[in-house]
Amino acid sequence: PVTSLDQLFAQTYALGPILLAKVKAWARPAGLFPVRQLDSNPRRPEFVKWSEVEGTEREERVKWGKIKTEERAIEKLLRSYGSDVSNLVDLCRQSIIFDDPADLLACVKAIRDDAEVVIVRIKNRLRKDYDSRESAGYRDVLLNLRVETEETMVVGVETHVCEVQLILRHFAQLKSDEGHRNYVHFRNARGE
């Protein structure tokens, strides 16, 4: 396992475009992405199907997931992981949004059936028995996975664990700037 935060970030930057290409393919049937609007409230993006945005001028305005900041990574290492860098599995991350739980499930199956992916963990926060108080009411299906392609092996990132969040639109709308700020306060109060 990786023991250096610098090495983990280097892997993250190398893997980012590879993961993004996978996410775009998985999202093609029914996945949505937030698209920044030119003339409306920038804090409330419109959610648009990838199949309608791909190859158009709006593709440049898709709000892709960002690499976790070094500050937050260090905070998480100290608060939650006892400084064990190998536990940080969400530096390289993306999200796909869905209107219908059946489409979300179809995406889980597409990821599961992708021969170039090894799923390390699934955290299903949509389960009926999931206590949403654990996440301030937020719910999703979170997959930690490795992408094992010829390209990732050449670059040396085939063992890097990344994160894909599958989110229903209702919960994605809660992840507005204000909603995320509230979650950060919740997380900080819990020391996570």
Side-chain angles (χ1 to χ4, degrees):
V2 175
T3 57
S4 159
L5 189 57
D6 289 340
Q7 183 182 7
L8 196 64
F9 269 101
Q11 287 183 349
T12 297
Y13 283 104
L15 185 59
I18 299 167
L19 176 63
L20 183 58
K22 285 285 188 189
V23 164
K24 289 176 180 180
W26 298 327
R28 201 165 281 121
L32 308 164
F33 293 107
V35 176
R36 291 179 188 89
Q37 301 305 300
L38 296 176
D39 56 351
S40 64
N41 183 349
R43 293 177 183 229
R44 294 292 291 200
E46 174 186 13
F47 295 101
V48 180
K49 280 192 174 185
W50 176 240
S51 60
E52 296 172 9
V53 174
E54 186 176 22
T56 72
E57 56 87 24
R58 291 192 302 172
E59 184 174 346
E60 295 175 16
R61 296 197 318 262
V62 172
K63 188 177 175 188
W64 301 113
K66 294 180 182 175
I67 292 173
K68 186 178 288 298
T69 66
E70 288 181 35
E71 178 182 272
R72 174 61 184 139
I74 291 168
E75 182 179 70
K76 196 169 185 179
L77 276 173
L78 296 175
R79 287 182 177 179
S80 302
Y81 298 137
S83 299
D84 184 351
V85 172
S86 67
N87 286 316
L88 273 176
V89 294
D90 63 348
L91 296 185
C92 185
R93 58 195 175 169
Q94 289 296 331
S95 299
I96 308 172
I97 299 158
F98 298 92
D99 281 322
D100 186 336
D103 292 330
L104 187 149
L105 179 58
C107 187
V108 170
K109 290 177 180 177
I111 295 169
R112 178 199 65 197
D113 294 343
D114 189 323
E116 298 177 328
V117 169
V118 175
I119 296 174
V120 176
R121 175 180 75 160
I122 298 177
K123 186 186 281 188
N124 182 358
R125 293 189 276 217
L126 292 176
R127 290 186 340 259
K128 287 181 183 179
D129 65 338
Y130 176 74
D131 184 356
S132 63
R133 291 176 293 188
E134 294 289 315
S135 56
Y138 177 77
R139 291 174 167 248
D140 64 6
V141 174
L142 184 149
L143 294 97
N144 293 116
L145 53 87
R146 295 191 315 265
V147 180
E148 296 181 352
T149 65
E150 187 174 321
E151 183 179 8
T152 61
M153 287 183 234
V154 167
V155 180
V157 296
E158 75 279 3
T159 61
H160 185 96
V161 179
C162 51
E163 179 177 284
V164 176
Q165 296 176 1
L166 306 178
I167 310 167
L168 293 173
R169 184 193 296 246
H170 170 75
F171 293 105
Q173 289 168 330
L174 295 176
K175 283 179 74 171
S176 66
D177 288 343
E178 173 108 8
H180 186 70
R181 258 192 304 280
N182 291 340
Y183 172 71
V184 169
H185 290 301
F186 170 81
R187 179 187 72 207
N188 288 341
R190 291 174 50 124
E192 296 176 342

